[in-house]
Amino acid sequence: MTPDSPAIRLDHASLSLGGRILWDDVSFGVPRGEFVAVLGPNGSGKTSLLRVLLGLQAVSRGDVRVRGRAPRRGNPAIGYVPQQRAFDPDLSVRARDLVTFGLDGHRWGFSLSTRETRRRVSEMLVRVGAERFAESPIGRLSGGEQQRVRIAQSLVGDPEILLCDEPLLSLDLNSQQAIVELIADWSRDRGATVMFVTHDINPLLGAVDRVLLLAGGRWAVGKADQVLTAETLSHLYGSPVDVLRVHGRVVVLGAEFCGHEPVHAHQLARPVTRR
């Protein structure tokens, strides 16, 4: 991988599952250090895209490269924050223990001394603002606190790429903003790449470099100001859509149906290919 090579590259990549095309002929690159938000309705292939990059799912056609190579399982250059699911309240594993799992020698293919492991875990807990509840059982923490610990676990191995799958679900607005700022600060300091799956672009507007839209087998990518416009979204929806900016937030007005389920405005459904 050369210094100018993209961290992630898809060339005419398509993915079909169960006879249904999730996305088709996707071609774009993500430079190192870029923060990309991935939006689309449920079932549009957002999580599947992350699985492809993690080496857990092969594309149906085309080529995918992560740091210049084919995706592979257990790549230590990738950190991953999965979709949030509440821990069992009676789970006795401490927050510190969960972060330590991110440095497990069997998982990452190397081992660290006990002292070095403790140092790196403690530093990461401080970095994400979780040091005050480091010794607490993970199941007794709030949703926002649990997400800080998950992010610490994903970052403690010092990855070059961070993949986030809906990390803001079920969090209040203050917690959402704190999580986004935490990841954005880490990305800037590390020069690392972020792909951040979300249903709502507003908490990320101050952090993202570009937005990738997936829906109905089609896709679009560009800067937020380019794709989150009435003209662009009307073209993507195939019907009139208004876009307002109110107190720094994007409000999309329009109706679209996908099957029998209404697609809410912030889901930005049904984009077409636009390079």
Side-chain angles (χ1 to χ4, degrees), residues 148-227:
R148 287 178 183 269
V149 175
R150 286 188 177 95
I151 291 167
Q153 182 190 32
S154 70
L155 298 183
V156 72
D158 198 26
E160 297 180 25
I161 298 170
L162 182 66
L163 306 179
C164 303
D165 194 359
E166 298 277 13
L168 305 183
L169 284 178
S170 303
L171 299 183
D172 59 46
L173 291 177
N174 288 335
S175 294
Q176 288 181 5
Q177 199 61 52
I179 294 300
V180 171
E181 290 176 0
L182 190 164
I183 292 174
D185 287 346
W186 169 82
S187 174
R188 285 191 294 268
D189 292 347
R190 179 70 172 81
T193 305
V194 177
M195 291 198 72
F196 194 111
V197 171
T198 182
H199 273 86
D200 184 3
I201 189 61
N202 282 296
L204 284 79
L205 282 175
V208 298
D209 296 300
R210 286 191 297 166
V211 175
L212 170 66
L213 308 177
L214 298 174
R218 292 167 287 179
W219 63 282
V221 66
K223 292 184 178 297
D225 287 343
Q226 295 173 335
V227 297

Side-chain angles (χ1 to χ4, degrees), residues 227-231 233 241-245 250-253:
V227 297
L228 302 180
T229 65
E231 179 183 4
L233 291 181
V241 174
D242 292 321
V243 178
L244 306 178
R245 283 173 169 76
V250 174
V251 180
V252 182
L253 304 177

Side-chain angles (χ1 to χ4, degrees), residues 36-169:
V36 178
V38 184
L39 287 86
N42 292 334
S44 60
K46 303 184 300 296
T47 294
S48 294
L49 173 60
L50 300 190
R51 286 177 55 81
V52 166
L53 300 177
L54 288 166
L56 302 176
Q57 174 71 52
V59 291
S60 306
R61 188 175 67 250
D63 186 58
V64 178
R65 296 284 153 174
V66 176
R67 299 179 67 248
R69 299 181 178 181
R72 62 181 178 88
R73 293 172 180 256
N75 188 342
I78 298 179
Y80 176 53
V81 182
Q83 288 189 11
Q84 182 178 4
R85 291 178 175 81
F87 289 101
D88 186 330
D90 296 324
L91 185 64
S92 60
V93 174
R94 300 174 303 170
R96 179 181 300 278
D97 299 329
L98 195 71
V99 177
T100 303
F101 294 159
L103 288 174
D104 181 83
H106 296 293
R107 177 180 177 183
W108 297 108
F110 62 87
S111 60
L112 297 172
S113 67
T114 300
R115 178 179 297 179
E116 177 66 8
T117 295
R118 289 175 179 169
R119 182 189 68 79
R120 291 177 64 167
V121 169
S122 294
E123 286 181 354
M124 188 52 62
L125 286 165
V126 172
R127 177 69 186 262
V128 303
E131 70 278 9
R132 69 185 185 280
F133 46 82
E135 309 304 324
S136 301
I138 191 69
R140 301 298 176 88
L141 302 181
S142 70
E145 291 170 340
Q146 289 181 4
Q147 278 302 75
R148 287 178 183 269
V149 175
R150 286 188 177 95
I151 291 167
Q153 182 190 32
S154 70
L155 298 183
V156 72
D158 198 26
E160 297 180 25
I161 298 170
L162 182 66
L163 306 179
C164 303
D165 194 359
E166 298 277 13
L168 305 183
L169 284 178

